[in-house]
Amino acid sequence: MDWPAAASAPEQDGRAAPGHRATLGRCLRLFSAFRREGTDPEYFYGLMARDTIAQLGTYTRLDGATVIDVGTGLGQFARALEKAGARCTGIDHDIKELTALGPPAPNTLVASALALPYRTGSADVCFSSNVLEHVPAPWRMAGEMVRVTRPGGLVFLSFTNWLSPWGGHETSPWHYLGGDRAARRYERRTGRPPRNRYGATLHPVSVSAALAWARGNPDVEVVAAVPRYLPRWASVIVRVPALREVATWNLLLVLRKTGP
């Protein structure tokens, strides 16, 4: 997919954007919202979208930026991005997800995250929230996100790591005893298989593997690798092997595309 020519979005060099502070209070609000995901998804996803776009805004200016939303789903993040002034296009492989609330948003495509339908270097920002653990080849998806980002642009990639307390998604915390066992237990208890089925729609991704991929990729520089939902002072967790796999909960990678 080609985009009309547009000026590159100015960068903020990591300065905090108004409305976002990685505090303990914010952390508690987010974890409280997780408990309402099933009963009040509009509240949960709305809060998550506003918080995430504010967090993204601490790394780059969004007004006028061209953004690709990988795994756009119901479109909450895309709408929040557009509200922040970005020009956004989204992809998702599941047409049912895209149309669950009605017709999909303009510039939304049915496509695979493993082969993004955009030309190389076409986006100021390539964004993905909690999709990486749902694809069978996570680093291929991550590589595609880097490919479609322009030199100097930003990749904003977050995922729930497997050994975190929520790594098994709805089968948590039983995933610690094995993904297949956790799925069988969930089905016995509820009478239906989990939506996030280990080995099919949910795959184990580790913090260590993510850091190794990012640091070993010559096309990017690592701007940040932090626990997405935790206070800023908890960022030290990511530096501690073993502990980071459990305590990070959700890893955020912010990468700057290098090159001329």
Side-chain angles (χ1 to χ4, degrees):
M1 180 174 180
D2 290 338
W3 291 84
S8 298
E11 296 164 5
Q12 291 182 313
D13 299 324
R15 291 175 292 169
H20 187 273
R21 295 179 62 198
T23 63
L24 180 59
R26 168 204 175 240
C27 173
L28 295 175
R29 284 193 299 274
L30 290 175
F31 284 123
S32 176
F34 276 113
R35 297 165 58 187
R36 297 173 60 174
E37 181 179 4
T39 58
D40 193 355
E42 185 175 350
Y43 168 82
F44 168 73
Y45 286 109
L47 175 64
M48 283 294 299
R50 291 190 299 273
D51 180 84
T52 302
I53 301 318
Q55 189 174 33
L56 172 58
T58 67
Y59 299 102
T60 190
R61 186 173 299 165
L62 292 171
D63 189 17
T66 297
V67 183
I68 295 173
D69 180 10
V70 179
T72 191
L74 298 176
Q76 295 94 341
F77 293 107
R79 287 190 290 273
L81 284 161
E82 290 176 349
K83 189 174 182 179
R87 298 186 309 152
C88 187
T89 180
I91 70 102
D92 202 289
H93 80 287
D94 189 349
I95 186 64
K96 292 181 180 179
E97 185 81 3
L98 289 173
T99 58
L101 299 180
N107 298 321
T108 302
L109 304 174
V110 178
S112 170
L114 304 182
L116 295 176
Y118 305 98
R119 60 182 173 83
T120 298
S122 58
D124 296 311
V125 178
C126 195
F127 168 93
S128 183
S129 173
N130 296 339
V131 176
L132 194 72
E133 69 267 33
H134 299 292
V135 299
W139 311 122
R140 180 176 169 187
M141 170 183 149
E144 276 290 276
M145 292 180 66
V146 173
R147 179 186 65 80
V148 301
T149 304
R150 65 168 177 83
L154 209 70
V155 174
F156 186 98
L157 173 61
S158 74
F159 67 94
T160 303
N161 49 296
W162 176 246
L163 291 179
S164 80
W166 192 243
H169 290 47
E170 68 266 48
T171 68
S172 300
W174 302 100
H175 68 294
Y176 284 123
L177 301 179
D180 289 327
R181 179 180 294 182
R184 290 194 298 269
R185 180 188 180 278
Y186 181 91
E187 188 164 3
R188 287 196 304 269
R189 187 169 59 86
T190 65
R192 64 181 186 278
R195 178 183 179 187
N196 298 287
R197 185 64 186 260
Y198 177 78
T201 58
L202 181 63
H203 305 275
V205 184
S206 71
V207 174
S208 296
L211 295 175
W213 171 81
R215 292 167 178 166
N217 190 324
D219 296 324
V220 299
E221 62 174 320
V222 179
V223 177
V226 297
R228 178 181 175 187
Y229 305 131
L230 301 185
R232 184 175 299 276
W233 48 259
S235 296
V236 68
I237 291 170
V238 177
R239 303 177 190 172
V240 185
L243 175 64
R244 63 191 176 200
E245 300 297 343
V246 177
T248 297
W249 190 289
N250 188 285
L251 182 70
L252 167 62
L253 286 176
V254 182
L255 311 172
R256 185 82 62 194
K257 177 79 170 283
T258 57

